[in-house]
């Protein structure tokens, strides 16, 4: 995550994953929330850097990016589950 240390990335990722879990009405554990929040933020940051050339910074920016990225990952997982 841009500009955040490991501990802050875990905290922000956990919050973003939990918010995405609540928004998408899925049922996952705390570890999966953290993973989804962090991985979602990493993926969406990479996409934003490629397309726009910059990304959101700070805690709030990374929380937003992590939330959106985690929602996208949950939607992709649901699509694969339905097709399998």
């Amino acid at each position: 995550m841009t500009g955040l240390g490991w501990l802050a990335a875990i905290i922000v990722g956990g919050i973003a994953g939990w918010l995405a879990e609540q928004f998408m009405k899925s049922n996952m554990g705390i570890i999966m929330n953290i993973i989804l929040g962090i991985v979602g933020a990493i993926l969406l940051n990479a996409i934003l850097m490629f397309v726009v050339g910059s990304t959101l910074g700070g805690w709030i920016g990374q929380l937003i990016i992590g939330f959106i990225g985690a929602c996208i990952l949950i939607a992709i997982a649901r699509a694969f589950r339905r097709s399998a």
Side-chain angles (χ1 to χ4, degrees):
M1 297 179 116
T2 307
L4 299 179
W6 285 103
L7 182 61
I10 291 170
I11 293 168
V12 171
I15 294 169
W18 179 80
L19 289 171
E21 177 186 51
Q22 300 301 310
F23 181 74
M24 299 292 286
K25 294 181 179 32
S26 64
N27 188 15
M28 294 176 238
I30 185 76
I31 301 299
M32 196 62 185
N33 287 343
I34 293 170
I35 292 169
L36 281 174
I38 292 173
V39 172
I42 290 170
L43 291 177
L44 201 53
N45 274 321
I47 291 169
L48 285 174
M49 287 299 288
F50 180 73
V51 174
V52 180
S54 68
T55 186
L56 299 176
W59 287 68
I60 300 297
Q62 291 306 307
L63 181 64
I64 293 167
I65 295 290
F67 169 74
I68 295 169
C71 286
I72 291 169
L73 290 176
I74 291 171
I76 290 170
R78 285 182 180 170
F80 277 114
R81 241 185 262 150
R82 288 185 187 141
S83 67

